[in-house]
């Protein structure tokens, strides 16, 4: 009997390997290319990605089988990158980014030079990671609006089909990155507390929470939303059906059909790096009217920045740092009003930032007794650091972030017996907040609603929000270098370890300027290094940026 079973197994694996071989032969890896799983998955020119997609499909199946059939997400997107790029990343069952160790396995599979080496690496992973191939596999996948995405999804599906016992797959079609993360989390959460695992379930949950939080403060003034000509336009349109006139949207840059329009001169990354309105928004004149605010999503709607024109003229950016400050102070207020500390340990509220956070924002938070942590760039780093608080607010300056409520905090909130109407109301609002805010990943749509909730609560417009602190003048630029992998950082990316000697020169430059700060790090999503500089005056920032750019050209120019 045992012998029969063993031979059945051997036959099954041989059939699987045959099937994988046939499918893999259609997606050979181009010679000489080296792929790596960067800040948010693989990202490069779309035409170089089909072999990567196929191999990511295989890894998604292995990951799901390794976790006894838990649902894994696959998102095909290059987010803020230009339209000719594309990318792919895996989402773990909790809705978070893929576990870092598995990022290495993804890189290994992606770089196998031949079908033979791919199959042998695949079987090595099966054995080393103790994957039981008889376990089920469940995958949810989605894509953004890039024209290259359908072709890349085909390569992914070829991997799913190659498993003769069938992976159970759900295609969400075109949707935003954060909706995919939410669906993965909600699918795996059998308690139902994370919500119904569909796009509609997501929209309804957010709309309900938003209505609770706005209460009788609506309807709110119209909000101009730049959708970066990406998938956020669909999500916004869909969501608006659920809230009617409570918050009227005025969408801009919703053209998902014209080639080359995605992220071009619009979107959160454009606004943050250029520190200017998208030309389309400027030309429309919509922000010139008093008390008008606008915001920008990025191409897959996981980043958000706000802005307005001071006196109808001067551009003022309200970026991820400003959102973190606004939200952290609001939550601190609600927690205070809930008066839970009399019978419980006080809830720990903290903010997580990266080196890109403006020095003024960190000072603002610390001066208000909010603990601040600094971690390397990349949502996975921020997310994990935020989980160490009861309520962890994390935002990158580029507008990527969310607020996490720990499971024990949620239990405390639900079980707490308030002794006054004010406390009861604050508790109700905190619970609604945890349902409004995407608990899996940063989400432009949900973050935008969060900002609107806080502004309505405070009775503020963008100008009052902006008044909290003044950003130090700053610049963020991309510098092309010969090989960005030569740039190795330490100290949460605030210092360079290599190239040897460069950091000393950067320090010398920084020391010439009052409140000067500058750092350099290799991008994990684009082929460049990023240079950040800030100082007391705009002229100083320009000089510092030029000095550090010259150093980079000397040390690693193209
Ligand atoms: C991704 C990551 C972010 C990161 C950004 C830029 O954002 O999710 O955490 O800040 O890339 O990373 P880098 O500076 O390494 O290129 P997105 O919106 O592009 O997915």
């Amino acid at each position: 009997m045992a012998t029969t079973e063993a031979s059945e197994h051997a036959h099954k694996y041989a059939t699987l390997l045959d099937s994988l071989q046939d499918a893999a032969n259609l997606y050979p890896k181009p010679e000489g290319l080296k792929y790596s799983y960067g800040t948010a998955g693989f990202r490069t020119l779309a035409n170089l990605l089909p072999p990567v997609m196929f191999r990511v499909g295989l890894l998604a199946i292995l990951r799901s089988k390794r976790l006894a059939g838990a649902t894994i997400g696959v998102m095909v997107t290059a987010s803020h990158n230009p339209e000719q790029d594309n990318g792919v990343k895996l989402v773990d069952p909790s809705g978070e980014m893929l576990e870092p160790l598995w990022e290495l396995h993804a890189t290994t599979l992606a770089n196998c030079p031949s079908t033979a080496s791919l199959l042998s690496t695949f079987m090595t992973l099966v054995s080393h990671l103790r994957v039981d191939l008889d376990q089920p596999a469940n995958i949810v996948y989605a894509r953004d609006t890039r024209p290259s995405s359908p072709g890349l999804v085909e390569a992914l599906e070829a991997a799913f089909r190659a498993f003769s016992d069938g992976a159970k797959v759900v295609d969400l079609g075109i949707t935003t990155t954060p909706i995919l993360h939410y669906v993965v989390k909600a699918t795996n959460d059998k308690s139902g507390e994370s919500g119904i695992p569909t796009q509609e379930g997501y929209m309804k949950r957010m709309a309900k929470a938003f209505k609770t939080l706005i209460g009788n403060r609506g309807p709110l003034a119209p909000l101009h939303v730049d959708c970066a000509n990406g998938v956020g336009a669909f999500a916004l349109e869909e969501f608006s059906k659920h809230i009617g006139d409570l918050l009227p949207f005025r969408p801009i840059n919703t053209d998902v059909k014209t080639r080359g329009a995605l992220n071009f001169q619009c979107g959160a990354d454009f606004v943050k790096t250029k520190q200017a309105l998208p030309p389309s928004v400027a030309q429309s004149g919509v922000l010139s009217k008093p008390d008008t605010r606008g915001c920008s999503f990025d191409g897959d709607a996981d980043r958000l920045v706000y802005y307005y024109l001071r006196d109808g003229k001067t551009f003022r950016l309200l970026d991820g740092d400003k959102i973190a400050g606004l939200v952290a102070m609001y939550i601190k207020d609600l927690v205070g009003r809930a008066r839970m500390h009399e019978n419980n340990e006080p809830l720990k509220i903290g903010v997580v930032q990266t080196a890109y956070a403006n020095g003024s924002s960190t000072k603002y938070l610390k001066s208000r007794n909010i603990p601040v942590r600094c971690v390397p760039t990349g949502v996975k780093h921020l997310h994990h650091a935020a989980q160490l608080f009861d309520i962890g607010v994390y935002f990158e300056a580029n507008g990527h972030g969310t607020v996490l409520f720990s499971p024990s905090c949620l239990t405390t909130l639900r079980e707490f017996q308030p002794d006054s109407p004010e406390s009861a109301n604050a508790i109700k609002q905190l619970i609604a907040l945890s349902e409004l805010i995407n608990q899996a990943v940063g989400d432009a749509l949900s973050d935008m609603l969060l900002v609107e909730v806080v502004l309505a609560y405070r009775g503020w417009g963008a100008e009052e929000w902006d008044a909290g602190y003044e950003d130090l003048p700053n610049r963020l630029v991309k510098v092309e270098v010969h090989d960005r992998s030569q740039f190795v950082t330490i100290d949460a990316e605030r210092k360079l370890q290599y190239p040897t000697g460069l950091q000393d020169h950067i320090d010398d430059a920084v020391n010439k300027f009052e409140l000067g700060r500058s750092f350099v790090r290799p991008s994990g999503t684009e082929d460049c290094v990023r240079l950040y500089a800030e100082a007391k005056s705009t002229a100083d920032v320009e000089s510092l940026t030029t000095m550090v750019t010259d150093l980079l050209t000397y040390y690693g120019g193209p």
Side-chain angles (χ1 to χ4, degrees):
M1 179 65 186
T3 322
T4 318
E5 255 181 37
S7 74
E8 273 174 10
H9 253 83
H11 176 69
K12 204 169 152 189
Y13 287 172
T15 311
L16 171 63
L17 284 177
D18 283 348
S19 156
L20 286 180
Q21 176 171 311
D22 291 347
N25 280 337
L26 300 175
Y27 298 101
K29 176 185 172 288
E31 265 180 44
L33 268 184
K34 183 157 173 7
Y35 299 108
S36 64
Y37 201 100
T39 314
F42 294 102
R43 267 191 212 176
T44 185
L45 288 169
N47 60 356
L48 302 176
L49 280 169
V52 174
M53 293 289 159
F54 179 80
R55 292 146 192 242
V56 164
L58 297 187
L59 194 74
I61 290 180
L62 284 192
R63 181 89 179 131
S64 178
K65 286 180 181 284
R66 177 67 184 87
L67 300 173
T71 297
I72 297 294
V74 185
M75 185 70 205
V76 179
T77 180
S79 193
H80 73 277
N81 292 48
E83 190 172 290
Q84 66 269 25
D85 288 356
N86 212 325
V88 63
K89 66 177 175 181
L90 291 177
V91 177
D92 259 353
S94 58
E96 295 169 19
M97 300 291 190
L98 178 67
E99 186 186 301
L101 191 59
W102 280 67
E103 292 183 357
L104 299 178
H105 304 323
T107 302
T108 307
L109 277 185
N111 288 302
C112 289
S114 62
T115 297
S117 90
L118 176 62
L119 295 190
S120 87
T121 307
F122 177 83
M123 287 317 286
T124 306
L125 285 177
V126 168
S127 138
H128 284 185
L129 298 170
R130 287 176 284 116
V131 178
D132 175 358
L133 288 175
D134 289 332
Q135 288 285 332
N138 289 288
I139 317 281
V140 182
Y141 60 103
R143 62 183 197 272
D144 70 15
T145 53
R146 277 162 212 268
S148 56
S149 292
L152 296 177
V153 165
E154 270 176 35
L156 192 65
E157 289 169 337
F160 301 154
R161 277 196 306 273
F163 275 78
S164 40
D165 61 348
K168 202 168 151 243
V169 296
V170 175
D171 179 5
L172 292 187
I174 295 176
T175 196
T176 71
T177 297
I179 290 177
L180 185 267
H181 281 258
Y182 162 85
V183 170
V184 171
K185 182 179 176 67
T187 304
N188 288 302
D189 180 357
K190 302 301 176 205
S191 75
E193 278 177 10
S194 299
I196 297 167
T198 59
Q199 171 159 312
E200 200 192 2
Y202 181 63
M203 299 286 175
K204 283 189 170 158
R205 179 180 166 93
M206 272 199 312
K208 185 168 169 245
F210 185 64
K211 286 176 189 163
T212 304
L213 286 155
I214 292 296
N216 55 14
R217 297 187 186 101
L220 307 178
L223 174 63
H224 300 274
V225 187
D226 158 25
C227 299
N229 294 318
V231 64
F234 296 142
L236 188 73
E237 189 183 355
E238 196 50 43
F239 181 73
S240 67
K241 294 179 193 155
H242 293 267
I243 54 158
D245 289 338
L246 185 56
L247 171 56
F249 298 119
R250 302 282 183 263
I252 317 165
N253 296 323
T254 57
D255 178 3
V256 296
K257 296 233 161 66
T258 301
R259 286 285 173 124
L262 177 71
N263 291 327
F264 181 68
Q265 300 220 310
C266 59
D269 195 55
F270 175 90
V271 173
K272 173 68 184 161
T273 44
K274 301 280 180 217
Q275 306 199 8
L277 290 182
S280 48
V281 178
Q283 281 148 23
S284 72
V286 288
L287 289 188
S288 306
K289 296 180 201 122
D291 298 328
T292 314
R293 68 219 183 286
C295 63
S296 287
F297 295 176
D298 70 341
D300 63 340
D302 60 2
R303 295 195 203 178
L304 172 77
V305 295
Y306 265 69
Y307 36 78
Y308 70 102
L309 295 180
R310 182 179 276 173
D311 301 326
K313 289 192 203 76
T314 314
F315 173 79
R316 298 285 301 177
L317 176 64
L318 297 154
D319 62 3
D321 296 339
K322 288 270 182 179
I323 298 174
L326 179 80
V327 169
M329 293 312 296
Y330 167 61
I331 291 175
K332 195 172 175 216
D333 243 43
L334 283 186
V335 168
R337 281 179 40 212
R339 302 183 62 79
M340 297 159 70
H341 51 277
E342 285 161 18
N343 303 316
N344 295 277
E345 282 280 297
L347 289 178
K348 284 194 275 79
I349 305 163
V351 172
V352 185
Q353 303 183 317
T354 69
Y356 291 112
N358 194 281
S360 297
S361 76
T362 313
K363 200 166 149 200
Y364 170 84
L365 290 163
K366 286 187 173 168
S367 69
R368 282 153 183 80
N369 295 324
I370 307 255
V372 182
R373 304 270 174 280
C374 179
V375 299
T377 301
V379 167
K380 57 190 171 224
H381 301 296
L382 289 114
H383 196 91
H384 291 148
Q387 283 170 327
L388 301 177
F389 295 103
D390 295 312
I391 304 179
V393 179
Y394 74 81
F395 272 92
E396 295 183 291
N398 63 23
H400 204 145
T402 193
V403 181
L404 299 181
F405 289 74
S406 73
S408 68
C409 169
L410 285 175
T411 308
T412 310
L413 289 172
R414 288 188 188 119
E415 290 175 355
F416 184 69
Q417 300 292 325
D419 59 5
S420 71
E422 189 190 18
S423 162
N425 194 32
I427 297 282
K428 187 173 140 195
Q429 296 200 31
L430 283 164
I431 292 173
L433 263 190
S434 74
E435 287 164 6
L436 178 75
I437 305 170
N438 191 318
Q439 294 297 290
V441 80
D443 179 344
L445 184 56
S446 135
D447 289 341
M448 178 187 78
L449 299 171
L450 170 62
V451 167
E452 292 300 314
V453 162
V454 188
L455 294 181
Y457 169 87
R458 299 267 188 225
W460 285 354
E463 190 142 8
E464 288 91 347
W465 169 18
D466 192 20
Y469 64 87
E470 187 64 27
D471 270 329
L472 285 171
N474 62 89
R475 282 288 303 274
L476 172 58
V477 292
K478 298 179 199 180
V479 183
E480 268 185 50
V481 290
H482 176 62
D483 176 5
R484 70 186 148 133
S485 70
Q486 300 299 306
F487 293 77
V488 179
T489 59
I490 48 173
D491 187 20
E493 300 181 322
R494 288 173 286 200
K495 298 242 172 270
L496 276 174
Q497 186 174 26
Y498 298 109
T500 309
L502 174 52
Q503 185 61 48
D504 292 339
H505 291 298
I506 295 176
D507 290 343
D508 287 345
V510 164
N511 288 334
K512 293 188 172 41
F513 300 99
E514 197 177 346
L515 299 180
R517 189 166 72 89
S518 179
F519 65 89
V520 171
R521 56 173 286 277
S523 163
T525 60
E526 294 176 77
D527 191 8
C528 63
V529 295
R530 299 199 197 279
L531 183 176
Y532 177 84
E534 68 181 34
K536 195 166 180 197
S537 74
T538 307
D540 283 359
V541 169
E542 294 306 326
S543 305
L544 180 55
T545 305
T546 307
M547 287 167 89
V548 181
T549 307
D550 289 348
L551 286 169
L552 284 173
T553 309
Y554 178 76
Y555 272 85

